[in-house]
Each structure stands twice: as C-alpha cells, then as structure tokens.
C-alpha cells in the first residue's frame, strides 16, 4: 500500500469511509467486521467515522463502537489512525442537525473517546459549520481539546477557503486535515483542494465515488471514467480514485464501503498510474 501523510502520521493513500456500515441500509455486523478486516489486510491504515454515523436516535456513535470492535479483533488494528468527527447530529428520523457549540463538542469528544476506547483520539474533526455559532468558537473548542491532549490531531470538514485559513490560524498552524465532498460529479471543492496543497494540509474527499446510492453508477454517469477503466481492465471506481490521487500528494480519498470486495477494489487504486493524457481527459469530463 502506498502511503501519504496526515500531520506527522503516515497513513495509507486510501482510507476507509465507514459510514455505510451504520446508517440506513447497513449490513449486518458480521459483514461490517469482515469489511474492516479486509481493509486492514489490504494495508488500509486510515478509517473515517463520526459520532453521527448511526441510524436510530438511541444508538449515537454506532459506527465508532463498530470500528472499535473491528480494530480490537484484528492483529493490525493497533496500526490504524481513526478519524472521527463531532458537531453533526441525527435525531433518528433520517434528518441531520447541527451543534457546533463548544459545550457540545467537548461532550461529544468525551463520548467518542469512551466508545473508541482510547486515551486520545488520533484525528478529531469539526464536522460541519453551525450558523448559530461563530466558527472561531467551534474551532476554538477543537484547539482546546488539542491543547489538553484529548485529541492528537485536529481537522475540519465541509469548509470553504476562508474557514480553512481561519481554522489554521486559530489552531496555531496545527490544522492537519480538511474533509470535503469531492467526486467526478461534485468538483466545487477544487479551490479547497488547491489551498490544502499550498498549505501542506491533507485533503480527504468524502463520497469520492459519488455517494452510497450512486457509486455503482459512476461509469455510466461519466463516460470517460468507464472508457479508461475498460481500456485498463479495472473498475471505473478505481480509475476515479487514481485520478484523485494524481491531483496532489495531500489527497487521501476515503471511499465508503460495506462489503469486503468494495474496499479491496478501492485499496488497489494507488497502484494504478494514469497517463497525463488520461488525467487530462478525466479533468475535462
């Protein structure tokens, strides 16, 4: 497995997005555990989760608990950087709400620590800006958790360039990651990607294959990805991840998976080296 860096930690160039294993349509626990274990066997050392990755109102942190169990039952579990997030909530009716208050973020971090069974969270990210709370107050809470040793590294998610710069300033240059949506169908995060490249901050594309419902349709929706995939004898999804990796050494995609075969295909993407002509065609697609 090729590697990249998040802060001072070396991680696999492809991470595992664990959300599909806990929300609506999730598989049974045995398949989820098999998916995480397959990822570890393939060399994946970054797993993305969040306290809001759950389905029902009474199971907050379902995904964090699942990941903790999967890592505890595999020899390679100790080598994984777990990235989790706080500030987003799911009331249990399928909706998403926000709470970026410092009090909530502090409480959420404590609960994530307990569920993950660690003394300090490897990477903790503010999940999404809350319009009711000044951004500097939310990120300030993350800074305080970092200063107190509750988290080892700090990041933000769903942030525009101005917020990236602000967060980097509030954290005193210790912002290590930005997790934004980015895929062939959603490219408006290009400015954030370029800024992260300039600043040396890891950029973690979420839903890089288009999201749970559309990942399987990537090839049919984006013909150049399908054409290059057919020529190379690989999946369009693998081409997509290789395309992202070629954009910058700070890019670390976190494709979601709930089947072993899916993460195994994604984990092979760093071995696919696309030509400059292929990259130009995909950029223009």
């Amino acid at each position: 497995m090729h590697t990249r860096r998040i802060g001072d930690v070396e991680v696999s160039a492809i991470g595992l997005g664990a959300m599909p294993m806990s929300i609506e349509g999730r598989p049974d626990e045995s398949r989820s555990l098999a998916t995480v274990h397959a990822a570890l066997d393939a060399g994946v050392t970054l797993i993305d989760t969040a306290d809001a990755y759950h389905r029902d109102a009474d199971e907050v942190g379902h995904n964090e608990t699942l990941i903790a169990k999967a890592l505890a039952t595999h020899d390679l579990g100790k080598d994984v950087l777990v990235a989790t997030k706080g500030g987003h909530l799911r009331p249990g009716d399928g909706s998403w709400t926000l709470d970026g208050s410092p009090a909530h973020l502090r409480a959420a971090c404590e609960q994530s620590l307990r569920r993950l069974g660690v003394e300090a969270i490897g990477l903790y990210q503010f999940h999404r800006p809350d319009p009711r709370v000044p951004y500097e107050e939310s990120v300030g809470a993350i800074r305080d958790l970092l200063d107190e040793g509750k988290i080892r590294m700090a990041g933000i998610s769903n942030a525009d360039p101005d917020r990236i710069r602000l967060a980097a300033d509030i954290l005193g240059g210790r912002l290590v990651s930005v997790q934004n949506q980015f895929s062939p169908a959603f490219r408006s995060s290009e400015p954030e990607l370029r800024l992260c490249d300039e600043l040396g901050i890891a950029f973690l594309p979420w839903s890089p294959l288009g999201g749970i419902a559309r990942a399987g349709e990537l090839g049919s929706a984006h013909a150049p990805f399908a054409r290059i995939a057919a020529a190379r004898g690989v999946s369009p999804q693998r081409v997509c991840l290789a395309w992202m990796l070629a954009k910058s050494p700070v890019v670390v995609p976190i494709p979601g998976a709930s089947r072993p075969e899916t993460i195994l295909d994604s984990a092979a993407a760093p071995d696919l080296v696309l030509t400059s002509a292929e990259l130009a065609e995909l950029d223009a697609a």
Side-chain angles (χ1 to χ4, degrees), residues 14-248:
I14 295 290
L16 168 63
M19 185 177 75
M21 292 180 270
S22 288
I23 65 168
E24 290 80 357
R26 67 193 185 197
D28 60 38
E29 184 176 277
S30 62
R31 196 178 91 189
S32 292
L33 294 175
T35 299
V36 177
H37 290 170
L40 300 182
D41 289 337
V44 171
T45 59
L46 170 65
I47 296 180
D48 176 78
T49 182
D51 60 0
Y53 294 166
H54 62 91
R55 185 186 61 199
D56 304 323
D58 62 350
E59 56 170 24
V60 174
H62 178 278
N63 200 244
E64 292 176 324
T65 302
L66 175 68
I67 294 306
K69 181 175 182 178
L71 297 182
T73 52
H74 195 287
D75 291 341
L76 298 175
K78 63 184 183 301
D79 301 323
V80 171
L81 173 64
V82 176
T84 192
K85 299 179 286 295
H88 223 351
L89 301 89
R90 298 201 81 196
D93 59 359
S95 67
W96 297 77
T97 60
L98 300 167
D99 190 343
S101 66
H104 172 77
L105 291 171
R106 176 172 291 277
C109 179
E110 293 288 353
Q111 292 161 10
S112 292
L113 281 165
R114 176 179 51 80
R115 286 188 290 264
L116 292 171
V118 296
E119 294 182 0
I121 293 171
L123 173 58
Y124 195 71
Q125 302 173 104
F126 178 39
H127 204 153
R128 187 179 289 272
D130 182 348
R132 302 169 304 171
V133 180
Y135 196 66
E136 54 269 29
E137 291 185 13
S138 299
V139 178
I142 304 298
R143 177 200 58 214
D144 293 345
L145 292 169
L146 187 61
D147 290 343
E148 295 167 16
K150 300 286 187 180
I151 63 177
R152 299 190 190 282
M153 296 189 292
I156 55 177
S157 185
N158 301 298
D160 61 21
D162 288 342
R163 286 188 170 122
I164 293 172
R165 293 188 180 93
L166 178 58
D169 182 60
I170 293 169
L171 289 164
R174 295 176 294 172
L175 178 66
V176 303
S177 66
V178 173
Q179 182 173 322
N180 275 19
Q181 185 177 10
F182 185 69
S183 70
F186 190 95
R187 305 193 190 194
S188 60
S189 285
E190 286 272 12
E192 289 83 2
L193 192 164
R194 290 193 296 269
L195 179 58
C196 287
D197 181 72
E198 175 188 329
L199 300 176
I201 296 170
F203 183 83
L204 282 53
W206 62 263
S207 289
L209 303 178
I212 297 172
R214 293 178 293 277
E217 303 168 1
L218 191 151
S220 58
H222 304 279
F225 288 84
R227 188 196 66 74
I228 291 172
R232 292 298 200 101
V234 299
S235 69
Q237 291 76 16
R238 195 182 305 186
V239 170
C240 175
L241 296 173
W243 165 69
M244 287 188 180
L245 290 168
K247 285 189 169 293
S248 167

